[in-house]
């Protein structure tokens, strides 16, 4: 049976509560705050809850609560305040100190039993949840430490550093090809095919985490064979048709090999994400050899890129409520952006035709 401590200077109240609870709990009693704290020192680990009067001689209920808070007992033992007061300020003060619930006088047996039972169940559930969160946080810390150690190992390994240099060279190669196309496109059509280019090289930590998650070996050969997004280039265009024209010109080059194509513009993701993804192999020329390296090239309009950036930030925000509503609004925004992109493209075409 769980142990309950009833603390009240009125003998009648102690006897009433003891009689109400004795069938379900092992009931201890104390006449004031000093006796209550002495019993808590003896039975701290075995005490399931305290029913505590506020107005008592020697040491009142508030002093007991403050002392329990100081010793960290409130995290393990819930307090139900016994009170004949219904003053809001008193209840607020108690709740701010960490009290779980109130049992008001005169006592009603069914209410007393339900409040005690509910408090114990809620407190146990909360403790279990907190324990689970702590365990998950511990696991995450351990995983992060493993990733950090492996990241350092990768950074220090000469073959890995050489591989990263090769991926960096591949990024520069794609950027150069795109810049040449930019100049040619500008002369051919008298306008710019894209607004900007962004590139990134996946961090050692991200590389190791993905290898681990996918179940691949953490070797240079495994990275080269299994990961297609270590090197990434993002091309930001003004209009949707520029995306397809530019992508086509890039993969038509006879020494660039298209490995994979995912068209999220024609077939958007369920959340509304739109972008054209290409995995290409490009040649790089080192001092003593020529290699083909994989690069992920993403093509987006300015509006698509803005949406994707905002969605990513919101997605990784903690403690966000009403996620369903936010996801619906983001999807609606993505649909509006698509309509706007094609509307602006139509306006551009009208302007071009009028010039002709």
């Amino acid at each position: 049976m769980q142990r309950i401590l009833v603390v009240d200077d009125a003998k009648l109240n102690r006897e009433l509560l003891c009689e109400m609870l004795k069938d379900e709990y092992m009931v201890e009693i104390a006449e004031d705050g000093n006796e209550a704290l002495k019993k808590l020192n003896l039975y701290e680990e075995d005490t399931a809850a305290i029913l505590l009067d506020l107005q008592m001689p020697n040491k009142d209920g508030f002093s007991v609560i403050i002392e329990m808070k100081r010793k960290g007992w409130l995290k393990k033992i819930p307090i139900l305040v016994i009170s004949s007061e219904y003053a809001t300020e008193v209840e607020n003060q108690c709740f701010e100190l960490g009290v779980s619930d109130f049992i008001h006088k005169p006592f009603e047996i069914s209410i007393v039993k339900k409040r005690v039972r509910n408090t114990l169940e809620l407190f146990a559930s909360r403790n279990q949840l907190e324990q689970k969160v702590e365990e998950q946080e511990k696991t995450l810390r351990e995983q992060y430490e493993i990733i950090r150690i492996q990241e350092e190992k990768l950074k220090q390994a000469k073959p890995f550093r050489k591989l990263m240099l090769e991926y960096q060279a591949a990024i520069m190669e794609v950027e150069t090809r795109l810049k040449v196309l930019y100049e040619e496109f500008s002369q051919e059509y008298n306008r710019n095919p894209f607004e900007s280019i962004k590139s990134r090289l996946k961090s050692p930590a991200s590389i190791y985490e993905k290898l681990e998650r996918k179940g691949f070996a953490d070797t240079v050969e495994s990275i080269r064979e299994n990961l297609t997004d270590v090197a990434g280039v993002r091309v930001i265009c003004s209009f949707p048709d520029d995306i397809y024209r530019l992508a086509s010109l890039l993969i038509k080059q006879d020494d660039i090999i298209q490995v994979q194509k995912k068209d999220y513009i024609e077939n958007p993701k369920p959340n509304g994400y739109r972008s054209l993804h290409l995995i290409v192999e490009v040649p790089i020329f080192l001092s003593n050899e020529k290699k083909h390296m994989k690069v992920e090239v993403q093509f987006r309009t300015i509006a698509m890129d803005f949406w994707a950036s905002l969605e990513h930030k919101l997605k990784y925000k903690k403690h966000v409520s009403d996620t369903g509503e936010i996801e619906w609004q983001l999807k609606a925004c993505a649909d509006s952006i698509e309509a706007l992109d094609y509307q602006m493209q139509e306006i551009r075409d009208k302007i071009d035709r009028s010039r002709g």
Side-chain angles (χ1 to χ4, degrees):
M1 295 176 71
Q2 293 175 296
R3 188 188 301 273
I4 301 288
L5 178 58
V6 175
V7 188
D8 197 314
D9 61 324
K11 182 179 179 181
L12 178 61
N13 290 337
R14 296 197 302 269
E15 291 177 348
L16 283 172
L17 291 170
C18 186
E19 185 65 27
M20 292 176 183
L21 299 171
K22 68 179 183 179
D23 292 337
E24 297 180 45
Y25 308 98
M26 185 187 304
V27 183
E28 293 282 339
I29 59 172
E31 297 181 8
D32 58 30
N34 287 325
E35 188 179 358
L37 292 172
K38 287 178 184 177
K39 293 208 170 185
L40 281 174
N41 278 314
L42 290 173
Y43 305 120
E44 173 202 343
E45 297 298 327
D46 299 326
T47 302
I50 300 174
L51 279 59
L52 178 66
D53 188 21
L54 293 178
Q55 305 300 324
M56 296 182 294
N58 301 323
K59 188 181 284 287
D60 64 14
F62 286 110
S63 300
V64 173
I65 296 168
I66 292 169
E67 183 66 14
M68 288 181 64
K69 189 172 184 178
R70 187 184 69 82
K71 291 188 174 184
W73 290 345
L74 284 183
K75 294 179 180 179
K76 299 182 289 183
I77 307 171
I79 296 175
L80 294 90
V81 167
I82 304 166
S83 176
S84 56
E85 291 191 38
Y86 286 81
T88 303
E89 59 272 16
V90 174
E91 293 196 2
N92 282 334
Q93 184 181 359
C94 290
F95 283 129
E96 286 174 5
L97 286 171
V99 164
S100 295
D101 204 351
F102 277 76
I103 295 177
H104 290 289
K105 304 171 187 175
F107 303 132
E108 168 58 45
I109 185 169
S110 61
I111 298 297
V112 170
K113 287 186 173 184
K114 285 177 182 176
R115 285 188 182 273
V116 171
R117 190 181 304 117
N118 290 345
T119 297
L120 291 177
E121 289 175 356
L122 288 171
F123 206 79
S125 297
R126 190 193 73 181
N127 287 344
Q128 288 173 5
L129 181 60
E130 288 178 351
Q131 184 177 355
K132 187 175 290 186
V133 170
E134 287 177 5
E135 290 171 356
Q136 289 173 345
E137 288 178 347
K138 182 182 177 182
T139 301
L140 288 173
R141 285 195 298 269
E142 290 172 350
Q143 290 174 347
Y144 173 78
E145 185 61 19
I146 292 170
I147 290 173
R148 189 191 65 78
I149 292 169
Q150 294 300 325
E151 177 186 14
E152 287 303 314
K153 287 182 179 179
L154 285 175
K155 283 181 180 178
Q156 299 304 318
K158 187 175 179 180
F160 177 78
R161 296 202 303 273
K162 184 175 185 294
L163 180 64
M164 291 300 100
L165 182 146
E166 292 170 359
Y167 277 121
Q168 188 63 58
I171 288 173
M172 290 189 287
E173 185 69 29
V174 171
E175 288 179 334
T176 300
R177 302 294 182 96
L178 288 168
K179 287 174 183 176
V180 171
L181 288 173
Y182 178 95
E183 296 300 328
E184 183 183 3
F185 198 99
S186 298
Q187 290 188 20
E188 180 84 17
Y189 299 100
N190 196 31
R191 60 185 176 83
N192 302 331
F194 58 84
E195 296 296 325
S196 64
I197 299 176
K198 302 175 184 177
S199 62
R200 64 108 183 95
L201 194 61
K202 212 172 186 68
S203 71
S206 295
I207 290 171
Y208 176 79
E209 186 277 330
K210 189 163 188 177
L211 289 172
E212 185 78 6
R213 176 161 42 87
K214 297 286 186 179
F216 299 131
D218 55 341
T219 63
V220 166
E221 293 75 18
S222 179
I223 295 169
R224 192 190 301 274
E225 180 68 25
N226 297 308
L227 301 188
T228 59
D229 62 345
V230 174
V233 175
R234 188 184 308 157
V235 188
I236 312 302
C237 301
S238 296
F239 304 101
D241 61 354
D242 287 339
I243 288 175
Y244 292 106
R245 188 177 290 115
L246 192 60
S248 176
L249 290 171
L250 180 66
I251 60 177
K252 276 181 181 177
Q253 298 184 13
D254 59 10
D255 57 352
I256 291 183
I257 302 167
Q258 179 179 302
V259 177
Q260 188 181 83
K261 176 181 178 180
K262 291 184 179 180
D263 192 342
Y264 296 116
I265 299 173
E266 286 293 325
N267 304 288
K269 290 185 178 182
N271 66 350
Y273 174 85
R274 289 171 169 83
S275 186
L276 176 64
H277 290 204
L278 300 180
I279 304 297
V280 297
E281 285 190 352
V282 297
I284 62 167
F285 301 88
L286 304 173
S287 59
N288 59 352
E289 63 180 330
K290 171 186 173 182
K291 286 186 174 182
H292 271 80
M293 302 296 295
K294 292 186 180 72
V295 180
E296 181 185 55
V297 188
Q298 298 180 3
F299 296 86
R300 301 174 184 170
T301 64
I302 299 169
M304 290 175 194
D305 190 56
F306 171 74
W307 182 94
S309 176
L310 180 61
E311 191 269 347
H312 181 80
K313 289 176 183 176
L314 293 175
K315 184 178 179 181
Y316 291 98
K317 287 278 187 183
K318 293 183 178 179
H319 310 303
V320 176
S321 59
D322 202 7
T323 54
E325 176 68 17
I326 291 172
E327 288 171 359
W328 180 87
Q329 289 180 327
L330 281 169
K331 175 65 168 62
C333 287
D335 293 342
S336 298
I337 282 172
E338 180 191 32
L340 180 62
D341 271 338
Y342 284 103
Q343 187 177 6
M344 294 298 291
Q345 182 174 289
E346 186 179 341
I347 292 170
R348 181 210 62 191
D349 292 343
K350 286 181 179 178
I351 293 172
D352 288 348
R353 285 195 297 270
S354 67
R355 285 176 179 171

